[in-house]
Amino acid sequence: MDIVAIQAELNALEADCLRELEAATDAAQLDAVERKYLGKQGSIKAMLSRLGQLPKEQRAELGKLLNQSSARAEAAAAAARDRVKKGALAAALEDKGFDVTLPGRLPAGVLRPGSLHPLTRVRRELEDLFTSMGYAVLDGPEVELEHYNFDDLNTPPDHPARESQDTFWTTTPGICLRSHTSPVQVRGMRWWRKQGFELPMRAIAPGRVFRNETVDASHEHTFHQLEGIVVGEGISIAHLLHSMKTLLRGVFGRELTVRLRPGFFPFVEPGFELDAQCLHCGGKGCAFCKHSGWVELLPCGLVHPHVIAAGGFDPGKHTGFAFGLGLSRLVCLRHGIDDVRHLLSGDVRVLGSFV
Ligand code: PHE
């Protein structure tokens, strides 16, 4: 075996090795090529054993050629590895199913993180707002005595709201599902007095209410209100207006122009509907405000003297204001929800949509 023949063999091996490295498309193929040519048993390395067959003076020369050859092949292998790695990454990025904006998949058995219902969030925001103004947050029963729901609220015995088409009655006479949060007005006043708290009494009462409604996109049999009541000496419409403007600033994050229109509720005198200049067109008139420039926001008024008396205060000395905010309506207004039925649908997608 002469050196020229060995050299030719070596060149051929190196060329094969480089070609195969070039052709490799994944790490496994690369491993195989490296093993075949460059591993301890690889064919390039194997040529070292052939050195012994050569005359001494040629051994050094071939040794050098062998080293150069394996160095080139190793460099080519490193480059090929790099290429394969980048290729795999690019392929992963180009995969049409890969969207970096998607939330990660939770491993099986891990619970989905929860989120608050939009109604809960609005209620909590309002509780924070009112407690910051010194209001107490009260609670009342959902199954209520007719007495608190109607009589104490100055509602005449023949008032249509008492009819079963409007109110859900239980099989026990005199007990209904509360049709509004207003029964907490009288319950609250009595409790306030019993506690001996100072006046003015300031309280809100958020909660669920029930009406025997035909359910459609804007009516539910179950919905949420937030009652507010302030009673003390010299409480006037000016206090009412100021509080309502503060409330609306907190809810909508800006100053709204409001107006009071007369409205009738047996437990307030005078009673009002508070309107705000349309949130969408600013009063110019649009489809949302039915081109009137105003949207109805909440009913309110000065607490009727009969109700003040039912609460245990002195109607000759004490006056107050009350309001009934429709929380369900507010949530729909704020999030542009066009159907109140979504709110209590129990569909978790509703929960996750308004975070
Ligand atoms: N309770 C009334 C309703 O649900 C709203 C209201 C509350 C009106 C307080 C005036 C004062 O319709």
Side-chain angles (χ1 to χ4, degrees):
M1 195 63 145
D2 66 281
I3 184 156
V4 180
I6 299 181
Q7 228 174 314
E9 210 180 313
L10 179 61
N11 287 343
L13 273 180
E14 184 185 331
D16 285 348
C17 174
L18 295 187
R19 211 186 46 250
E20 286 178 38
L21 285 172
E22 196 68 38
T25 51
D26 62 32
Q29 287 177 16
L30 276 178
D31 287 344
V33 179
E34 281 191 88
R35 227 176 299 118
K36 179 168 162 198
Y37 295 96
L38 298 165
K40 276 206 190 92
Q41 315 286 318
S43 41
I44 293 182
K45 297 278 183 213
M47 295 202 73
L48 281 170
S49 61
R50 316 261 293 272
L51 288 178
Q53 302 169 4
L54 291 171
K56 228 185 189 161
E57 63 281 8
Q58 289 183 351
R59 278 187 211 158
E61 199 190 331
L62 187 67
K64 201 166 120 198
L65 290 175
L66 261 174
N67 282 341
Q68 288 171 347
S69 224
S70 22
R72 278 193 299 272
E74 264 153 27
R81 252 186 214 290
D82 211 36
R83 172 178 57 77
V84 164
K85 210 155 111 191
K86 282 194 187 125
L89 190 64
L93 287 173
E94 262 172 33
D95 183 343
K96 60 182 181 307
F98 189 81
D99 178 352
V100 288
T101 63
L102 285 176
R105 266 190 219 121
L106 292 171
V110 175
L111 292 175
R112 196 180 73 89
S115 54
L116 292 177
H117 193 286
L119 270 167
T120 309
R121 293 184 38 233
V122 167
R123 175 174 57 73
R124 289 196 185 170
E125 274 175 38
L126 290 171
E127 286 176 4
D128 284 349
L129 182 78
F130 279 103
T131 47
S132 79
M133 295 194 282
Y135 284 64
V137 181
L138 305 183
D139 206 3
E142 292 176 343
V143 179
E144 184 56 287
L145 294 171
E146 178 176 17
H147 200 74
Y148 283 115
N149 200 76
F150 293 117
D151 304 72
D152 279 352
L153 290 171
N154 197 40
T155 311
D158 57 351
H159 194 281
R162 298 197 193 221
E163 308 239 329
S164 59
Q165 298 96 292
D166 285 309
T167 300
F168 288 116
W169 292 95
T170 67
T171 46
T172 312
I175 297 182
C176 61
L177 299 188
R178 65 176 177 186
S179 58
H180 49 180
T181 42
S182 297
V184 186
Q185 288 187 23
V186 170
R187 283 183 177 277
M189 283 189 272
R190 293 189 181 165
W191 178 78
W192 198 273
R193 265 181 55 86
K194 210 166 127 196
Q195 300 297 314
F197 290 157
E198 280 175 25
L199 292 183
M201 160 191 175
R202 282 168 292 185
I204 54 164
R208 267 204 309 188
V209 301
F210 311 88
R211 279 184 209 174
N212 196 354
E213 299 269 9
T214 305
V215 172
D216 63 24
S218 41
H219 298 89
E220 257 286 23
H221 49 70
T222 302
F223 52 102
H224 290 70
Q225 292 189 330
L226 183 140
E227 193 80 10
I229 180 164
V230 173
V231 179
E233 288 182 37
I235 300 296
S236 70
I237 292 173
H239 295 111
L240 167 65
L241 261 180
H242 173 79
S243 305
M244 295 305 97
K245 289 189 92 166
T246 310
L247 159 67
L248 298 176
R249 204 185 307 123
V251 171
F252 294 103
R254 62 191 154 103
E255 207 66 42
L256 295 184
T257 306
V258 297
R259 71 174 184 193
L260 290 177
R261 255 183 316 122
F264 178 77
F265 299 89
F267 36 92
V268 283
E269 179 57 36
F272 305 107
E273 289 288 352
L274 184 127
D275 299 339
Q277 218 155 49
C278 180
L279 304 149
H280 288 280
C281 65
K284 284 191 216 79
C286 67
F288 184 76
C289 59
K290 299 196 183 82
H291 302 282
S292 70
W294 296 91
V295 286
E296 199 174 296
L297 279 185
L298 73 148
C300 53
L302 292 187
V303 183
H304 195 287
H306 290 174
V307 180
I308 296 268
F313 288 102
D314 177 357
K317 200 159 94 182
H318 300 124
T319 52
F321 69 79
F323 57 90
L325 186 66
L327 277 190
S328 305
R329 192 173 129 73
L330 191 66
V331 167
C332 289
L333 263 181
R334 187 152 100 162
H335 294 296
I337 301 172
D338 56 6
D339 191 328
V340 279
R341 289 170 291 191
H342 287 311
L343 293 183
L344 300 180
S345 63
D347 187 334
V348 286
R349 288 172 304 180
V350 174
L351 286 175
S353 301
F354 307 104
V355 185

